[in-house]
Amino acid sequence: MPESLSPREIECVRLAGMGLEDKEIAARLGISPRTVGNHLHRAYVKLEVSDRRLAARRLSNGYSGEPILIPETAEDGLVDAASAEQSDDDGPVVRSAWSLPAPPRGVGARLAVIVAGAAVALLLAIGIVTAGMVVPSLFDRIAPEWAR
């Protein structure tokens, strides 16, 4: 096994393995996001890996008896059935061709998605109302005299 990790590096890798971003890990541990990045970088070097998913898996296998459940995604973006079976959820594994992206994590990102969705809905409503006002007048112009 490579060099041993410090307790803080272990904490950072575990939280990163649970899918948290550096900002979220920093908020939980009361340190800066840059410090989290430094801890993760040192842990990657010690664990001889290149990303948080591999680091969490290596940490899970080599440092404790408790696994960190990280579902594996296939190349098509779907969750691998074998890794999905590791979870405590006994529900059926549902594979779908429709893969949705993960929801954005920050408040600002979520707010941006909501505002963008509202803007699209507003533009769509304006288009429908405009079409409802313009189309009848077009039909009046092209309709024959006897049909008016």
Side-chain angles (χ1 to χ4, degrees), residues 42-62:
R42 282 194 302 276
Y44 297 164
V45 171
K46 291 177 183 178
L47 293 171
E48 299 173 353
V49 297
S50 60
D51 68 11
R52 58 184 63 213
R53 182 176 294 275
L54 293 173
R57 186 163 293 118
R58 178 78 50 95
L59 179 69
S60 172
N61 292 339

Side-chain angles (χ1 to χ4, degrees), residues 29-106:
L29 300 179
I31 57 179
S32 76
R34 185 168 180 146
T35 303
V36 171
N38 289 336
H39 285 309
L40 289 174
H41 175 73
R42 282 194 302 276
Y44 297 164
V45 171
K46 291 177 183 178
L47 293 171
E48 299 173 353
V49 297
S50 60
D51 68 11
R52 58 184 63 213
R53 182 176 294 275
L54 293 173
R57 186 163 293 118
R58 178 78 50 95
L59 179 69
S60 172
N61 292 339
Y63 274 78
S64 71
E66 64 183 74
I68 301 172
L69 298 177
I70 305 170
E72 298 211 14
T73 53
E75 292 174 9
D76 58 4
L78 301 175
V79 174
D80 180 30
S83 75
E85 290 172 1
Q86 294 176 356
S87 73
D88 294 334
D89 183 15
D90 291 328
V93 175
V94 178
R95 291 183 58 97
S96 170
W98 293 93
S99 177
L100 295 175
R105 286 208 180 253

